[in-house]
Amino acid sequence: DTLRQLLSVLGALLATGAGQVAAQDAAEARSLPGLGKALRRLWFGTQLQGDEWDSKEQVLWLCRLLSLTEGSRAGLLSFYGAAVLMVDALAVFAEYA
């Protein structure tokens, strides 16, 4: 529930169309892969400002996010491991958004 709330707040703070959709998706998500998918959509729909987050760092971040969604669905990650990846992904995205 806490991760859903964090993603909802992040989407609402961005005050964009993508942010509002992410907040709604987060409220409806019932799994970590669902939250990862909502965060990925938010990343695609958000215009990041500045050059602080270069493309190599974004690719690495996206790989971690995809590892979370695919690893959870395949049963390769524990809930704890997936939650740690999700918290890290939220923190990094919030830093640059």
Side-chain angles (χ1 to χ4, degrees):
D1 286 344
T2 303
L3 291 174
R4 270 198 327 244
Q5 291 172 352
L6 287 173
L7 184 54
S8 294
V9 169
L10 178 60
L13 287 174
L14 289 176
T16 62
Q20 299 303 318
V21 170
Q24 183 178 5
D25 288 348
E28 296 170 359
R30 296 290 176 234
S31 66
L32 286 172
L35 288 174
K37 186 177 179 181
L39 182 57
R40 188 175 67 231
R41 277 192 249 149
L42 179 60
W43 173 71
F44 277 120
T46 302
Q47 181 67 30
L48 299 174
Q49 300 172 1
D51 295 329
E52 295 176 11
W53 200 17
D54 69 5
S55 60
K56 290 179 184 179
E57 289 175 338
Q58 287 187 50
V59 167
L60 180 60
W61 176 84
L62 187 58
C63 285
R64 288 182 183 156
L65 191 60
L66 291 173
S67 296
L68 172 134
T69 56
E70 298 304 316
S72 293
R73 285 193 178 129
L76 301 173
L77 283 176
S78 66
F79 179 80
Y80 176 78
V84 168
L85 287 173
M86 185 68 192
V87 167
D88 181 60
L90 278 169
V92 170
F93 185 79
E95 181 180 340
Y96 292 107

